[in-house]
Amino acid sequence: ITTKTPYVVMKYAMTLDGKIATKTGASKWITGEPARQEVQHMRHRYMGIMAGIGTVLADDPMLNVRVEGWKSPVRIVCDSSLRIPLDSQIVRSAKEYRTIVAYAGREENEEITEKIERLHAKGVDTVCCPDEKGQIDLKKLMTYLGNEGIDSILLEGGGTLNASALEDGIVNKVYAYIAGKLIGGMDARSPVEGMGIDRMADAITLQNVEIEKLGDDFCIVGYVK
């Protein structure tokens, strides 16, 4: 039986100079209220929402829908070393919103085993899907999520996870929300990090690109070939 893997939509908000946070990590708020409201629609529309542990540690997000009566997605956190704090908002609300933490550590490690037990006690599901480098194999994770009946994912990953998702070829569509702001800074985070490419010919080029104005912001939408 062939598992249908989830349709993955990458979403990020950035300034006109390509930053998702200042050099201090401050990111609220890059875009205005109309763009942020549209994101709530997206979270309601997709079955899952996925973020990396860097985002969880930096922002302590809920990753839910903040509109009464709308459904919240299954929350998926990519956390190779299981660093997610037990007192984080995501863990504390796991019995209210289904939460899956993907990791890559060895289960025979006592610290990993103990952390898994404590997460399970708080209602968090865990899945181990390592690659040969000891990081999360996103393709294996997509197969697991497909088997769980999750057919679509909104990726709000942060630069590291976004880069890995593009490199592993799991992204189908991109929504880039762009604010008319400039913050600068060599150390300010960008939406896609990782090692990057050597040649422009190797760049990922989006297809069927469309642009929409939302208040003072713009949303560029395109499909990954």
Side-chain angles (χ1 to χ4, degrees):
I1 299 174
T2 302
T3 299
K4 185 176 181 181
T5 56
Y7 188 85
V8 178
V9 174
M10 176 187 291
K11 186 280 297 179
Y12 55 82
M14 68 180 187
T15 58
L16 203 55
D17 54 346
K19 308 297 184 181
I20 60 173
T22 68
K23 63 182 181 180
T24 64
S27 60
K28 295 182 179 179
W29 295 101
I30 290 176
T31 54
E33 182 60 32
R36 298 202 300 273
Q37 184 64 24
E38 180 62 25
V39 171
Q40 296 300 309
H41 278 276
M42 294 178 73
R43 289 185 178 185
H44 169 71
R45 191 159 66 241
Y46 295 101
M47 286 191 66
I49 183 170
M50 188 162 74
I53 185 60
T55 298
V56 174
L57 294 176
D59 300 336
D60 192 22
M62 276 287 287
L63 299 180
N64 65 334
V65 174
R66 294 185 290 273
V67 179
E68 187 175 352
W70 290 11
K71 69 174 181 61
S72 288
V74 176
R75 303 176 303 180
I76 304 142
V77 178
C78 292
D79 181 9
S80 296
S81 302
L82 277 184
R83 294 186 292 154
I84 189 167
L86 294 172
D87 63 350
S88 63
Q89 289 198 91
I90 284 180
V91 173
R92 287 190 284 111
S93 59
K95 292 183 178 179
E96 182 178 0
Y97 306 106
R98 188 183 178 193
T99 304
I100 300 170
V101 174
Y103 67 100
R106 300 175 66 87
E107 293 188 3
E108 54 266 32
N109 181 303
E110 286 189 13
E111 289 185 10
I112 292 289
T113 301
E114 181 182 349
K115 185 68 172 283
I116 290 171
E117 290 176 352
R118 297 180 73 180
L119 287 170
H120 288 177
K122 291 182 175 290
V124 177
D125 295 332
T126 58
V127 56
C128 185
C129 41
D131 62 14
E132 65 279 357
K133 298 177 183 177
Q135 300 298 313
I136 292 171
D137 187 320
L138 291 175
K139 291 183 179 178
K140 289 181 181 176
L141 177 57
M142 292 303 107
T143 298
Y144 167 82
L145 295 173
N147 283 328
E148 290 292 299
I150 297 172
D151 64 9
S152 57
I153 292 174
L154 181 62
L155 174 59
E156 296 190 10
T160 300
L161 182 56
N162 285 347
S164 296
L166 289 168
E167 184 178 333
D168 286 357
I170 68 167
V171 179
N172 301 104
K173 191 175 183 179
V174 176
Y175 282 78
Y177 291 87
I178 303 174
K181 300 176 181 178
L182 302 167
I183 59 176
M186 289 181 61
D187 296 326
R189 306 298 296 270
S190 61
V192 181
E193 296 178 343
M195 294 297 293
I197 59 171
D198 295 324
R199 306 179 306 150
M200 284 301 298
D202 297 328
I204 295 172
T205 303
L206 300 182
Q207 309 293 313
N208 302 322
V209 174
E210 297 180 354
I211 301 176
E212 178 184 2
K213 195 171 190 300
L214 295 166
D216 292 330
D217 306 313
F218 291 89
C219 179
I220 298 179
V221 184
Y223 294 84
V224 179
K225 187 174 179 179

